[in-house]
Amino acid sequence: MSWKLELFGPNGQTLKKTLTETSPGGVGGGFHWRRTGQGGCILLDFPGHAPALGLRNRDLLRLWVNGARQFYGVVQENPNPRDPNFGDVTVEGAGELLGRRIIGAEVYRNLDVGAIARRLVERYRHPALTYNPDLIPDTGKVLETWSLPFRTLRQALKSLGETVAGEKGVPFDVLPDGAVFFGGSLTSATPFAYADVKDFLPLRVTGDEVATRSYLIALSRASGAAPTRTWIFPVDRSGAREGPPGSQTSAGLPYAPGTYTLRADDPDYAELEAEVAHLAPDGADVFTSPGAYPGATVVSGGLRSPDAARDGDLSTCADNTPGTASSYLQYDVARGVDAHPVVGFRLTYSLDLTGAPEGAEADVSLYTIYDNPAGETLNANGNRVLLNGTAFFSYALANTGGQPRDVVAVTPLPQEVMQEVMPGAFTASTPTPCRAVLNVGCRTNSTAMPDGSFRVYRFEPIGLDRAKVDALARKSLNPPAQVPAQFDLPYLLAPTPVAALTGVPGGDLLGDVAELEYRHDKAGLTTSTVKLEQPGASETARLLRIIARARAQDAQTELRGYLERT
């Protein structure tokens, strides 16, 4: 088979020279390269004579074999330009260039993950890479808000992929033609007959990447609007306090958000008990979608058309009824029901205080209460003594002059309350740990508000969606690969993410293609090695994977510690 090697300058725009098997110009033998099952380029090496090649570090090379592009990448190691001897040339796949570009501080709202990735690649890609929107399809995952200021393009694409598929992310890389791909598989599964392959080799089974229980830290910080008033009184086991939060004589505790952690198990957990813990990826959608909130009891007073505030149509609204001094809409989610835990709210409202009586005000309140098994008693004066824990957050609503305004807040339960109601990780089926009452209202001291001066276009709880968080956590589960294998083919195989090998003694094999390894020797003979489920039996490669994973886990641990302290 014929080969061609194109040498470009570091920007990928200047073609320096083209070498072929008839005019090798410093290429001293065959080529050895590796690619992913989706087609991304990993590594290329070949023997080269530096003075004849005219090669410099960070130049780009593209390898063609038999008229087809096979590899494109950046020269990372090469012989000294003055070395008269042949030496190894090592070329890293062009995906390395994704880590050499920094994105900006844009905020993307209500866009599919694929649409965000297209904008990022089109705007920030390295000049040596090309943009093809067909290779970055929509994923079906829409993010309400996403931003990752001043990170590398690789980090941004990795973060976006994790919002779709958890810790494993989605495949993205650079193809041999220089085009960036992201998302869906570019090729379909390929079947092979055992009788047609060469050198079938069952690989060593390694268990260092096994995970059969995943803990996902889904939420640990407040965001959005900040409360204007806060009362936090966990259960007082040393002495009773009297009255509701507004009449507390104690100062309460400062607000420190609790951490919501979900646990997901693989069916093999009881046998293997291999656990991992991760933070939810930046931009991951872990909250309930806008709309009805199952499990909530809804009541209202002093509002016309209260259902208009919950129908998802911002062109309609509920407004205060003439002659009323108080109007409100309230959600009440009881403890122990099959519902998502309430952690915040979405509100679109307008408030016009023109002509309103003095003292008119509007606010949102989120009130959490949980029972102490000791119940309630009466003190010596006959007053009711509360032995319940409470957390109360109030958000004052500003006068908007009648113009609609959005307010969104995420306020996790206080740390002290979380320790009482949910000290361990929850699961997809865990019921609500405490009662939550969410209220929006407008009131005056005595005189009625002017007709229609308070309007609610949308008001709904934000919950931590157990199903979404569970799906993200399960992406980190990694049951053991019990039958990793590799086999050779006497030709260059097109990339394939999945391979099915039939007729194998002991049973057919179906597995993910962890890596494809290719060789084109000096005599023109070609070989493809297909590695299923594990990148290979190399001890060095295994140790590198262990080190890389340990470093990533250390970084996450440090980040978790910072988030929990601040």
Side-chain angles (χ1 to χ4, degrees), residues 275-297:
E275 302 178 347
V276 293
H278 299 283
L279 289 168
D282 275 340
D285 179 14
V286 297
F287 300 118
T288 50
S289 301
Y293 202 89
T297 300

Side-chain angles (χ1 to χ4, degrees), residues 262-491:
L262 181 135
R263 187 193 76 230
D265 289 350
D266 183 83
D268 291 332
Y269 173 72
E271 179 181 2
L272 297 171
E273 296 198 17
E275 302 178 347
V276 293
H278 299 283
L279 289 168
D282 275 340
D285 179 14
V286 297
F287 300 118
T288 50
S289 301
Y293 202 89
T297 300
V298 184
V299 296
S300 64
L303 288 175
R304 286 179 298 205
S305 306
D307 289 344
R310 303 189 298 120
D311 62 5
D313 184 357
L314 294 180
S315 66
T316 63
C317 68
D319 60 351
N320 63 294
T321 306
T324 58
S326 174
S327 53
Y328 68 92
L329 178 62
Q330 183 180 97
Y331 291 83
D332 193 334
V333 181
R335 175 183 177 275
V337 301
D338 183 18
H340 306 296
V342 177
V343 295
F345 64 88
R346 299 181 185 92
L347 169 69
T348 303
Y349 80 101
S350 67
L351 178 63
D352 187 354
L353 294 181
T354 303
E358 185 177 353
E361 62 178 359
D363 63 12
V364 175
S365 62
L366 176 56
Y367 178 41
T368 299
I369 182 169
Y370 63 100
D371 298 331
N372 178 7
E376 299 179 351
T377 61
L378 298 178
N379 65 11
N381 297 322
N383 295 324
R384 186 164 64 104
V385 176
L386 294 180
L387 294 179
N388 297 328
T390 60
F392 184 84
F393 302 96
S394 178
Y395 305 78
L397 299 179
N399 181 8
T400 70
Q403 297 301 309
R405 180 175 297 179
D406 294 328
V407 180
V408 179
V410 172
T411 310
L413 283 173
Q415 189 176 62
E416 296 82 5
V417 174
M418 285 288 289
Q419 290 171 356
E420 294 285 349
V421 301
M422 200 159 55
F426 65 101
T427 70
S429 59
T430 300
T432 51
C434 51
R435 181 186 177 192
V437 180
L438 180 65
N439 185 91
V440 63
C442 180
R443 70 197 66 81
T444 68
N445 293 329
S446 57
T447 311
M449 287 283 290
D451 184 16
S453 56
F454 177 59
R455 295 179 176 178
V456 181
Y457 299 84
R458 175 181 66 175
F459 184 55
E460 61 198 11
I462 293 177
L464 191 63
D465 193 305
R466 296 169 298 171
K468 291 180 180 178
V469 177
D470 180 72
L472 281 174
R474 290 188 179 280
K475 300 297 183 181
S476 300
L477 295 175
N478 190 27
Q482 301 293 1
V483 285
Q486 72 178 42
F487 56 89
D488 291 347
L489 298 167
Y491 55 86

Side-chain angles (χ1 to χ4, degrees), residues 108-129:
Y108 298 93
R109 302 184 190 280
N110 299 315
L111 287 175
D112 187 277
V113 167
I116 299 173
R118 286 194 294 272
R119 295 188 183 188
L120 292 174
V121 171
E122 183 178 21
R123 181 169 184 179
Y124 293 110
R125 72 186 186 279
H126 189 279
L129 306 181

Side-chain angles (χ1 to χ4, degrees), residues 3-22:
W3 61 265
K4 179 173 68 172
L5 191 65
E6 295 176 324
L7 283 67
F8 297 88
N11 65 3
Q13 306 299 303
T14 304
L15 179 62
K16 298 171 64 173
K17 64 173 62 176
T18 300
L19 307 175
T20 67
E21 77 280 1
T22 59

